[in-house]
Amino acid sequence: MAQSPNSQSAIESILQEQRLFEPPAEFAAAATVSGADQYQALYDKAAADPAAFWAELAEQELHWFKKWDTVLDWQPPFAKWFVGGKINISYNCLDRHLDTPRRDKPALVWEGEPGDSRTLTYAELHAEVCQMANVLKDMGVAKGDRVGIYMPMVPEAAVAMLACARIGAAHTVVFGGFSSEALRDRLNDAEAKVVITADGGFRKDKAMPLKPAVDAALEGNAVPSVTNVLVVQRTKQDVAWTEGRDVWWHDVKPGASTDCAAEPMDSEDLLFILYTSGTTGKPKGVVHTTGGYNLYTHTTFKWTFDIKEDDVYWCTADVGWITGHSYIVYGPLSNGATSVMYEGAPRKSNPGCFWDVVEKYKVTIFYTAPTAIRAFLKMGDQHPNARDLTSLRILGTVGEPINPEAWMWYHKVIGGENCPIIDTWWQTETGGFMITPLPGAIATKPGSATKPFPGILADIVDAEGNPVGANEGGYLVVKHPWPSMMRTVYGDDARFRRTYWEHIPPKDGNYMYFAGDGARKDEDGYFWIMGRTDDVLNVSGHRLGTMEIESALQSHPAVAEAAVVGRKDDLKGEDVFAFVILEGTHSPSDDLKAELKQHVVKEIGAIARPGEIRFAEGLPKTRSGKIIRRFLRNLASGEELVGDATTMEDQSVLEKLRTES
Ligand code: WT7
């Protein structure tokens, strides 16, 4: 059975959930995938021959400079899609729209937090991407090089990604909330040649600096591969300047040509690396390649959001996460859609900020995270009610299981009971939506991500890889490769194998991708995600490894040992709870707690700041010395201990941990 910090409460709330919401009839009639039968037909066709299914779509939906020779080369656990094909995702996102009426259609509509805004049509975006591509070339960036992107939510963040893709350089976007330390590790792992950043960005009514973190990361030649830093001016904050290394975008842009041919890339050439947390202290560089990723994000965006020519689509994620990659930039632009980008975050100074954006741009498709939905729910109905939200026709959610209460609020107050809710289950590793309703085809149940996307052979199995029965909890796996699956961990094939392919043994020679989530399937075949089964936390939809936070704490001189677990949190879903054992000479104090929290912020970033630190004299361990996290989770939540304590080495440890020692 899958174990996770919150699976118990998730199961309870979900079992009471019987409501079913059919797609509105008019909606279904106009949808690209219309009705349960059409979904089933697509699903069955894809399941019978996934490679043929994807090949047909690849031919139909994308531009290829040269067609592939082999659709799928599967040497478990390594998959190659469209082998021999030549393609460029920047071309598919831009150039191919230019000789159509989409040329003058808004590609990116950007709203800054202070209220400034900017719209780039496909033609304008193409020109600007070419300019940045040419600037990168002038800096010596060539096909196969890596470029770091550390940006606020401004159009130039998308421009930078598309510019890299255009010349065949792989990007690695590092979320602007990560610390200089975290940035340095990622730039080094990827051996980035150039970093694209900004002076800062506006967030929660403040100008948050970014350039100083880049300076700190690179200080003392700590990232020897980096030769240049390209800086976008956003906040006009003062910045330190390293002559010869740093270049203002506004200085070089005017002289850069608006023409730059898209480089024909091998379908399997590296498109980007995106770091994500795992169960060790070191984040994994998730590798995505070109052709399969382009096809899968294109198709999932098209069907799941039932995109129409005049839709205005808004995903509130940050480009620093996979959601921003796949569903702000690549999926929408490949489809010629209008993608709204918003710089701000939900904030008390304007509890209606998201709804202002929906009203202003007449957003039709809105995609956000449960943590944001819960934040707005708490702020009250008066804010959305004071805005005109009638343009909305589809609502999406991603990042963590959505509790039925938040789902119903989203459905009623934001959707006016008219908009299908698309609960999309997927991961950095999967590249695109895996389990999700198609809005005109699949009836929804609050809290369920419903059914697999056609071509995705998802199942729930036990530890031996045997399928479990209806409503039985187990491990979520995928039984056939799909085009946008991660190819490996950057520079570490062994870790790729170990993490995703060896937990569940292959059955009859068939390898299964192990997602790390616990789930169950109900009697109607609907998937209910229960949460992580490994030592990974989900804080406000952000993935954090407990080991990463533990090593951050342990790097502080006062800390002898640390253990981090998740504690259920009404707003964030989960919060970071740390048990800390101090070095002999240090004594517990509130000041030290504050200092340790700040230390984690410095080492990783504000998203990892522990909500609570408890000083302890010892940790519950098995006789073989393994920390019993289950007990720590119980203690953090103030619950009774679940399970057997007799394997514990020292029983008195538990008693002391119940209260602050
Ligand atoms: C983990 C992946 C994919 C973009 C956002 C996070 C959890 C994600 C859902 C959902 C329940 C979800 C899973 C997954 N998760 N979406 N709709 N319902 N849980 O990407 O950082 O790679 O995290 O987020 O636990 O494994 P990520």
Side-chain angles (χ1 to χ4, degrees):
M1 229 319 284
Q3 276 290 336
S4 92
N6 48 19
S7 60
Q8 198 55 38
S9 53
I11 298 169
E12 279 162 13
S13 67
I14 281 163
L15 283 180
Q16 302 154 5
E17 191 49 70
Q18 301 292 342
R19 287 167 288 202
L20 187 74
F21 295 85
E22 294 288 347
E26 254 174 76
F27 187 103
T32 309
V33 181
S34 177
D37 293 347
Q38 198 187 343
Y39 162 77
Q40 200 57 48
L42 278 168
Y43 183 88
D44 293 344
K45 178 180 165 187
D49 189 348
F53 175 78
W54 293 116
E56 191 182 325
L57 285 163
E59 181 106 56
Q60 200 177 294
E61 298 289 330
L62 299 182
H63 166 271
W64 296 83
F65 295 107
K66 175 180 169 283
K67 201 180 156 176
W68 56 90
D69 308 311
T70 310
V71 182
L72 171 63
D73 172 1
W74 178 220
Q75 318 266 347
F78 302 102
K80 292 182 182 160
W81 283 89
F82 309 111
V83 184
K86 294 275 186 193
I87 186 168
N88 185 296
I89 196 169
S90 175
Y91 185 98
N92 273 308
C93 287
L94 301 169
D95 304 55
R96 65 166 167 160
H97 305 309
L98 297 186
D99 48 14
T100 75
R102 285 179 185 155
R103 182 183 178 85
D104 300 315
K105 174 178 174 173
L108 289 179
V109 172
W110 173 77
E111 178 81 3
E113 200 186 79
D116 48 343
S117 60
R118 195 177 160 204
T119 294
L120 286 119
T121 63
Y122 273 92
E124 289 163 345
L125 182 61
H126 171 264
E128 193 156 328
V129 166
C130 286
Q131 287 179 301
M132 200 179 284
N134 284 321
V135 166
L136 292 174
K137 278 185 173 176
D138 287 347
M139 289 176 165
V141 177
K143 184 170 168 176
D145 286 341
R146 277 83 52 214
V147 171
I149 299 178
Y150 186 69
M151 288 284 272
M153 281 294 287
V154 292
E156 288 83 354
V159 169
M161 293 163 73
L162 292 160
C164 289
R166 195 160 188 89
I167 61 174
H171 52 73
T172 181
V173 185
V174 178
F175 172 58
F178 278 122
S179 68
S180 59
E181 254 66 12
L183 175 63
R184 180 193 301 144
D185 291 347
R186 287 157 174 76
L187 293 175
N188 263 327
D189 191 75
E191 295 179 282
K193 192 157 196 178
V194 164
V195 182
I196 306 173
T197 189
D199 47 359
F202 292 103
R203 202 180 151 78
K204 300 203 175 181
D205 305 310
K206 280 199 227 99
M208 304 293 285
L210 284 168
K211 173 77 166 45
V214 175
D215 293 334
L218 302 184
E219 202 181 311
N221 202 26
V223 189
S225 55
V226 172
T227 52
N228 283 109
V229 178
L230 181 62
V231 190
V232 173
Q233 191 172 48
R234 166 64 185 137
T235 54
K236 305 213 161 88
Q237 287 162 288
D238 283 340
V239 291
W241 208 250
T242 303
E243 285 306 331
R245 184 195 74 183
D246 299 350
V247 177
W248 281 115
W249 169 231
H250 59 254
D251 282 346
V252 287
K253 186 183 173 202
S257 162
T258 55
D259 272 327
C260 173
E263 186 72 31
M265 302 299 290
D266 269 346
S267 175
E268 278 300 329
D269 274 339
L270 179 60
L271 175 62
F272 65 84
I273 307 165
L274 187 57
Y275 289 85
T276 189
S277 298
T279 51
T280 73
K282 190 176 183 286
K284 298 174 281 212
V286 171
V287 165
H288 283 288
T289 57
T290 307
Y293 176 84
N294 192 353
L295 177 66
Y296 196 77
T297 52
H298 175 98
T299 311
T300 47
F301 180 80
K302 181 173 178 169
W303 291 356
T304 304
F305 289 120
D306 185 44
I307 196 79
K308 305 277 194 268
E309 199 56 52
D310 53 359
D311 270 318
V312 178
Y313 162 84
W314 178 26
C315 165
T316 69
D318 191 284
V319 289
W321 310 113
I322 190 68
T323 312
H325 284 58
S326 301
Y327 299 111
I328 293 179
V329 180
Y330 291 119
L333 300 179
S334 181
N335 278 279
T338 295
S339 184
V340 176
M341 256 179 113
Y342 181 53
E343 186 187 31
R347 56 197 188 278
K348 294 218 171 67
S349 66
N350 179 3
C353 61
F354 276 24
W355 320 125
D356 282 342
V357 175
V358 171
E359 184 177 70
K360 178 168 174 186
Y361 295 108
K362 301 195 167 36
V363 170
T364 58
I365 304 170
F366 177 68
Y367 186 38
T368 196
T371 187
I373 298 167
R374 289 192 297 266
F376 284 114
L377 184 158
K378 272 205 168 147
M379 291 177 190
D381 297 4
Q382 67 275 23
H383 305 295
N385 286 346
R387 274 86 176 176
D388 179 5
L389 305 181
T390 53
S391 56
L392 291 170
R393 61 183 204 94
I394 297 177
L395 301 175
T397 155
V398 62
E400 56 178 304
I402 180 166
N403 49 311
E405 187 199 359
W407 196 102
M408 287 306 298
W409 183 83
Y410 202 26
H411 170 70
K412 283 192 179 142
V413 180
I414 305 305
E417 300 188 37
N418 251 327
C419 305
I421 293 190
I422 304 307
D423 179 354
T424 59
W425 176 84
W426 60 297
Q427 312 175 292
T428 307
E429 292 88 339
T430 70
F433 304 151
M434 300 295 280
I435 301 179
T436 175
L438 299 183
I442 298 178
T444 54
K445 301 184 186 186
S448 169
T450 75
K451 303 220 173 181
F453 197 82
I456 300 304
L457 306 185
D459 205 355
I460 319 279
V461 299
D462 63 19
E464 276 74 53
N466 304 303
V468 300
N471 286 317
E472 263 180 64
Y475 299 105
L476 182 50
V477 296
V478 186
K479 293 184 162 172
H480 191 280
W482 65 100
S484 68
M485 67 195 277
M486 79 181 282
R487 296 303 193 257
T488 189
V489 174
Y490 191 66
D492 198 347
D493 286 348
R495 188 170 179 194
F496 175 61
R497 249 179 223 285
R498 212 167 49 235
T499 312
Y500 304 101
W501 304 94
E502 285 177 356
H503 282 271
I504 313 282
K507 269 273 171 265
D508 312 321
N510 289 321
Y511 277 72
M512 290 176 242
Y513 168 82
F514 167 60
D517 281 327
R520 70 181 172 91
K521 230 190 313 181
D522 71 15
E523 54 287 350
D524 301 325
Y526 278 55
F527 284 74
W528 299 81
I529 313 298
M530 283 147 50
R532 301 290 307 192
T533 61
D534 50 12
D535 294 326
V536 168
L537 306 183
N538 189 328
V539 179
S540 298
H542 300 319
R543 214 160 123 176
L544 293 169
T546 50
M547 282 273 286
E548 251 175 287
I549 307 173
E550 285 162 8
S551 23
L553 283 164
Q554 273 148 10
S555 72
H556 190 281
V559 176
E561 200 179 353
V564 166
V565 294
R567 176 175 61 181
K568 200 174 174 328
D569 182 275
D570 280 351
L571 216 55
K572 300 178 181 175
E574 239 179 318
D575 198 6
V576 177
F577 193 110
F579 293 89
V580 169
I581 300 174
L582 293 174
E583 284 286 356
T585 51
H586 296 266
S587 41
S589 72
D590 285 346
D591 283 350
L592 184 54
K593 273 190 189 171
E595 189 180 319
L596 292 178
K597 287 182 187 177
Q598 204 42 44
H599 184 69
V600 174
V601 174
K602 181 177 155 281
E603 291 291 312
I604 305 176
I607 51 169
R609 180 198 300 273
E612 190 169 334
I613 288 181
R614 183 174 297 175
F615 293 123
E617 285 172 22
L619 296 170
K621 288 187 181 163
T622 61
R623 287 174 215 278
S624 59
K626 211 168 169 274
I627 296 173
I628 311 175
R629 287 170 189 282
R630 182 166 33 100
F631 288 158
L632 293 177
R633 286 196 283 266
N634 294 149
L635 288 163
S637 324
E639 299 162 355
E640 285 302 307
L641 298 185
V642 178
D644 183 8
T646 55
T647 53
M648 250 191 71
E649 206 198 10
D650 177 2
Q651 301 281 336
S652 69
V653 162
L654 274 184
E655 253 340 288
K656 288 193 189 135
L657 275 172
R658 275 182 215 281
T659 49
E660 185 82 48
S661 56

